[in-house]
Each structure stands twice: as C-alpha cells, then as structure tokens.
Amino acid sequence: MRHRGLAVRWLRGGALVASLLAVTCTIAAAAPRREGPARSAASPLPKVTEIPPGSGSHGYPYDAATTKASFPGAPTINLAHFGYVEREFLMSGTTSIYRPSGFWGPDGRWNVSVAQSGVPYTTRLLVRYPSNPAKFNGTVVVEWLNETTGGDQDPVWSEIYHQVLAQGYAYVGVSAQLGSMTEDKTWDPKRYGALGDSGDGQSYDIFTQAAQVARADTGGLLGGLRPKTVIGTGDSQSAFRVDTYVNAIQPVSHAFDGFLAIGRGAAAAPIGNGLVALSPIPAFIRTDNTTPFIQLNTEGDIEELGAALIRQPDNADLRTWELAGASHIDVHEGLYEGNTISREVPNLPAPRCLFGVPFNGGTLPDSMGVYELEDAALVALQKWIRQGVAPPSGNRIATTPLFNIVERDRYGNALGGIRLPDIQVPTQTYTPINFFVPSQQSLSPAQLLSLLESIFTTLSTGVITNTTLRDEGLCLLEGFSTPFSQSTLTALYPTHADYVTKFIAAAKSDLATGFLTRADYNQAVAGAKKAAIP
C-alpha cells in the first residue's frame, strides 16, 4: 500500500497546477436549438480517390482493424463477420487557414477570419461501413485521428467498435493533422507519399471536408450509403481540437449534426499549430451552440488536465459526463492500440510503467470501462439528434472547492461522478495515473500539466523516436488498478451470490439511467457472475 499512498499524494499535488489557472466566467443562458439538418459550407468538395487495397510496402492501411493478436489477450476484429468492409481513400483539396477575429474569452464565443485561402492538402480517410445498406442505421461517426504519440491512432474507434458494428454505424477516420500524415508517410512512403499540408492551421477545414464528403458519399466513400446524421468525435488532443471546432468553426460550417469529445482539459487547441492554446484558460463551450454535444471526461482528466475548471451547467445542447474511477486511457483502449502499434511498429517496446502494463505481465492499466460510457454516449447522442430526447445529466466527481482535489472513500476510490457498477460494487482501487519508473519521484506539483504538454508537443511533431518520452506520457495517462485484499472482499460480500445481487442492482440502475447500453449491461453482468468474488 506504500505505492498507493505515493500515488494519491502525487495526484493531489498535480491538481494544484490546475487550480492556479482558475478564472471566473459568467455563463449565459442557452440559446434556442436550431432544428433541421446541418448545412454544408458552399466551398467545392475535395477530390476523393480510393487507395488500392494491396498497395504500398505493407499492403494494408495504417491502423487497419486488427485481425491477428500481437500478444496474448490482444483484441481482434473480423469485420466480414459483422458484414463490414474497410477501405481507404485519399482526400485532396484546398482549405482556408483561420485566425482569431476579436477577443477569444473563456466563454467560447470565438469568431475567426480567413488568414489564407486556397491552401492545398492531401490526406487519407479510413472508412468502415456495412456492405448491406439495410444494416446501415443512417449515422456516420467521423473521428479526428489522434497524433499525440507520433502515430495516427483511432482511440474512439478502439472504444466504440462493438457498438458501431452491432448497431450499423458507418465510420470515417480522418488524418487531419500534419503529424498523422508524417507518421503515415514514414511508415509506408509508397502508399502515403502524396500526403501533406502546410500545418495544423488546415486541420479544421480538413475535418469539415471529411464530414461533407461522408454526407455526400463523394467518390463512393461509403459505397453508396447516404448518411442522415454525421457525428464528429475526437479523444485527448483530438478532443481539444473538437472543442475549438465547436466554438469557432461549427457556427460557420454547420458540417456536423452532433459531437462527442472524450478526455479534454482546461484549455482547447489553438486555431493553428500546437497542442493547447495558452489562453483562454479555462475554455468553456459557447452557450449559444445549437449542435448537440457530449463531452466525456474521466477522473484522470480531472486530476491531470484540469478538466474540473471547464465545468459548466448543462444546457439544451450540452452534456458533460464525468466518469469516476477512470483513467485517461483505460485497459480496453490500451489493449486495442497496443495490438495495432505492435503490428505497425514491431520494434517499439511496450511502455515501462512502475505499476506495469498488460504486455509485460505487470499490473493492468486502470480497468474502469471508459468504453462502456462512450458506447452509452454514442447511443444517447444519436437519440438526441434524431428524436430530440436529451441525454441524462451526470453527477460531477466530488472535488474540494479550493484545489479541485478528488475526494475519495475509505478504499481510495473517487466519490461522485457517473458510477458504473464496478465502482458502485467495488473489488479494487482505481488510480488514474501511473508512473514511468525512472521519474516517478521527480515530479513536483507545479510540473504536471507543463510536463504533459512538453512530452506530447515533442511527440506530436511526427514519428516516434523518443521512447522515453512516450513511456513517460503514456504511463501518466493509463493509471492502474489494485485488487482488494481477500479479507476486504469477504467483509463486503460474504457470498458470491451477495456480490452478484449487488452488482446486478447497480448495473440495472445505470442501464435505466442511460449510462450503460443493453449489450454492455449483459456483458458486465455475465462477467460478475463468473468472477471469483469474494
């Protein structure tokens, strides 16, 4: 337990940085919601051309759905079994590059003007969709692929793919940023040699155009499917960009019908290059936004990224969900992305963390199921857009008023927040931050946010070359879980039937509220019945 005490002290220290950034902001009343389908901008659609499936030195797309396990326990996907196809396209066109117009304040009412126009680019789109149109549910999810660790990853897909495949969604992953394009080109110059742009000032129009070509099925992008609903999404750094998009670009482009951002922080992304904007901090979502938006933050995002600072009242088109017990990267995402990275970069070692990762036999990353709440958010968002039924509001994770320190129960688990059955009926302590072995004792409270920004700003410039920085950043974000002692389990659950009864009651509550899908409820209950508890 000595290590857990160190972890808690370090977590609380990290929260001090976020508290120094706090400013006051008056939140205006929500504006009436705009009805009807999203409007597309008047600019010409870009050219979309399929990349021949077997082309390049590898013969498959970077981050293709995993069909083989690179290590024991790694997840695999048989797209054909679900009636899905995977294709890849080049998207080429021109964009504008924007600059702030007027004052950008914490309220998110950000205007832009065009700094440059007609700037050319070529990027790639990775698409997955049901081959039978009768299975298509009418919604396409457009993910802003994540370049943070020097790769071109699809973390949202890694969490929601079960829901996507079972319910007939289409999916488009867009390499919107230069770092993603650079990594792709380095990995397979034959396949991706044409990729490139002038920098991340183009990323916002690239994201817009990806939505437009998906909606129009330009170049047969979705095999003849014509979506009724287009949802924009991004995780971590990509969520920072989605936040800026919602505040500054969506009011002009009207390209999306809804948004889902996972794992954001106190700041948003700059309108040009860079990881996070230096100001404004905090960056709220504008209250006159009329596009349904769910932002999902974990306990780790509260502790590491200052997400408590961007809490604002829910309104007619905004929900903020906070998941207690969860790290920024959960084990579900870690296993999926670990499998794709092991395939794409086989010589890249798994992160070396003080409390282990699943690939080296150590302690698992935080096992609280962020994927379960992402599945629920996707269902709720589609229902919100299609039927006008607003999602439930979630409780906030309990934090102290002064420094936003997470308050915990006697087992070390967070209080408050959205509580999945695993934390309502706990069998372990969930700690949202792990440590890189050589440096776990070297971080002072004033270094956390600046360290993360420094690490990922360096890694986002292109190819993964500094594995130490990569390990340090990923360990900070993945967390770990510590099982309860047998005596604690027995005291909490005298019999296995007692544990299962309590778990099912908690799961039913989340199902009824809308924080668990039926499929995830069934899977969770089945797991509880098989668990050797007490």
Side-chain angles (χ1 to χ4, degrees):
M1 298 303 291
R2 180 179 64 83
H3 285 156
R4 194 178 74 79
L6 170 65
V8 172
R9 288 196 301 274
W10 191 85
L11 287 171
R12 290 177 176 174
L16 294 176
V17 178
S19 70
L20 298 176
L21 303 175
V23 298
T24 58
C25 178
T26 300
I27 306 298
R33 200 170 138 181
R34 187 188 74 246
E35 300 295 336
R39 293 184 290 109
S40 297
S43 56
L45 291 179
K47 181 180 179 181
V48 175
T49 308
E50 184 169 13
I51 299 174
S55 65
S57 56
H58 295 279
Y60 63 87
Y62 191 100
D63 236 14
T66 56
T67 57
K68 296 181 180 179
S70 301
F71 52 86
T76 60
I77 305 174
N78 184 345
L79 290 176
H81 171 76
F82 292 94
Y84 269 69
V85 296
E86 179 176 73
R87 301 167 69 194
E88 190 178 33
F89 294 80
L90 294 177
M91 182 173 75
S92 300
T94 62
T95 72
S96 293
I97 296 175
Y98 301 98
R99 61 184 167 219
S101 176
F103 175 69
W104 278 27
D107 64 2
R109 295 185 182 224
W110 303 343
N111 295 318
V112 295
S113 61
V114 175
Q116 291 178 262
S117 60
V119 185
Y121 76 90
T122 297
T123 193
R124 65 126 182 187
L125 304 174
L126 182 61
V127 303
R128 298 154 182 148
Y129 60 86
S131 55
N132 182 355
K135 184 177 181 179
F136 181 44
N137 71 3
T139 295
V140 58
V141 178
V142 179
E143 179 176 3
W144 191 309
L145 296 178
N146 188 293
E147 63 154 27
T148 301
T149 56
D152 192 19
Q153 306 303 316
D154 51 358
V156 178
W157 165 264
S158 77
E159 299 281 53
I160 65 171
Y161 69 86
H162 288 293
Q163 182 71 21
V164 167
L165 298 175
Q167 299 302 320
Y169 292 85
Y171 169 88
V172 175
V174 53
S175 300
Q177 291 177 259
L178 182 58
S180 290
M181 301 176 201
T182 301
E183 171 65 17
D184 294 340
K185 288 172 66 174
T186 302
W187 181 72
D188 196 333
K190 293 181 179 179
R191 189 179 184 100
Y192 298 121
L195 303 191
D197 66 5
S198 67
D200 287 350
Q202 292 186 257
S203 64
Y204 295 100
D205 265 8
I206 290 173
F207 196 51
T208 294
Q209 292 178 17
Q212 292 171 338
V213 298
R215 195 183 296 277
D217 189 38
T218 303
L221 183 73
L222 296 179
L225 303 179
R226 297 297 291 267
K228 299 176 182 177
T229 305
V230 180
I231 292 173
T233 187
D235 183 294
S236 193
Q237 179 186 175
S238 299
F240 305 167
R241 295 248 155 198
V242 168
D243 294 332
T244 299
Y245 189 97
V246 170
N247 281 345
I249 307 299
Q250 174 70 6
V252 179
S253 72
H254 304 291
F256 293 89
D257 301 299
F259 293 94
L260 173 61
I262 299 100
R264 66 159 299 191
I271 198 67
N273 295 323
L275 182 66
V276 294
L278 295 178
S279 64
I281 299 176
F284 295 103
I285 300 304
R286 58 190 304 156
T287 55
D288 61 349
N289 166 56
T290 58
T291 305
F293 183 19
I294 297 176
Q295 48 183 359
L296 191 165
N297 293 321
T298 67
E299 181 185 333
D301 303 322
I302 299 294
E303 294 279 10
E304 297 167 306
L305 303 178
L309 295 177
I310 51 85
R311 288 169 169 164
Q312 63 186 100
D314 288 347
N315 60 44
D317 289 284
L318 178 68
R319 292 291 182 272
T320 301
W321 288 359
E322 295 181 0
L323 182 58
S327 60
H328 186 79
I329 300 172
D330 70 351
V331 66
H332 191 273
E333 177 186 339
L335 287 170
Y336 184 91
E337 292 191 351
N339 198 22
T340 59
I341 291 171
S342 294
R343 179 190 62 195
E344 260 68 285
V345 194
N347 296 325
L348 184 68
R352 297 163 291 160
C353 304
L354 181 63
F355 298 101
V357 293
F359 325 127
N360 66 8
T363 305
L364 286 172
D366 190 324
S367 58
M368 182 57 64
V370 182
Y371 75 95
E372 293 175 313
L373 196 58
E374 289 190 41
D375 284 347
L378 182 58
V379 171
L381 189 55
Q382 175 163 269
K383 192 174 181 180
W384 198 3
I385 297 166
R386 294 277 190 87
Q387 302 175 29
V389 178
S393 292
N395 293 327
R396 302 294 189 248
I397 292 172
T399 55
T400 60
L402 186 57
F403 297 125
N404 288 321
I405 298 169
V406 172
E407 298 182 5
R408 304 180 182 282
D409 63 19
R410 60 178 174 151
Y411 304 108
N413 285 322
L415 297 170
I418 292 172
R419 305 183 71 77
L420 295 179
D422 305 84
I423 202 168
Q424 292 188 59
V425 189
T427 61
Q428 54 192 323
T429 298
Y430 300 96
T431 307
I433 301 178
N434 208 329
F435 308 98
F436 178 65
V437 175
S439 65
Q440 77 271 15
Q441 77 282 3
S442 65
L443 297 173
S444 69
Q447 291 175 316
L448 178 56
L449 292 179
S450 61
L451 175 62
L452 282 169
E453 182 176 359
S454 174
I455 290 169
F456 292 123
T457 297
T458 302
L459 292 173
S460 296
T461 57
V463 185
I464 301 172
T465 57
N466 190 326
T467 56
T468 298
L469 277 182
R470 174 179 175 270
D471 288 1
E472 199 166 1
L474 290 178
C475 289
L476 289 173
L477 297 172
E478 75 169 6
F480 62 96
S481 302
T482 307
F484 289 173
S485 67
Q486 188 61 46
S487 60
T488 299
L489 289 174
T490 302
L492 286 170
Y493 318 110
T495 67
H496 178 66
D498 183 55
Y499 167 71
V500 172
T501 298
K502 291 178 179 178
F503 190 96
I504 289 176
K508 283 183 176 178
S509 175
D510 282 332
L511 177 66
T513 307
F515 296 136
L516 266 182
T517 65
R518 172 60 68 176
D520 288 336
Y521 167 88
N522 291 340
Q523 183 181 50
V525 169
K529 290 179 178 179
K530 293 178 182 178
I533 305 295

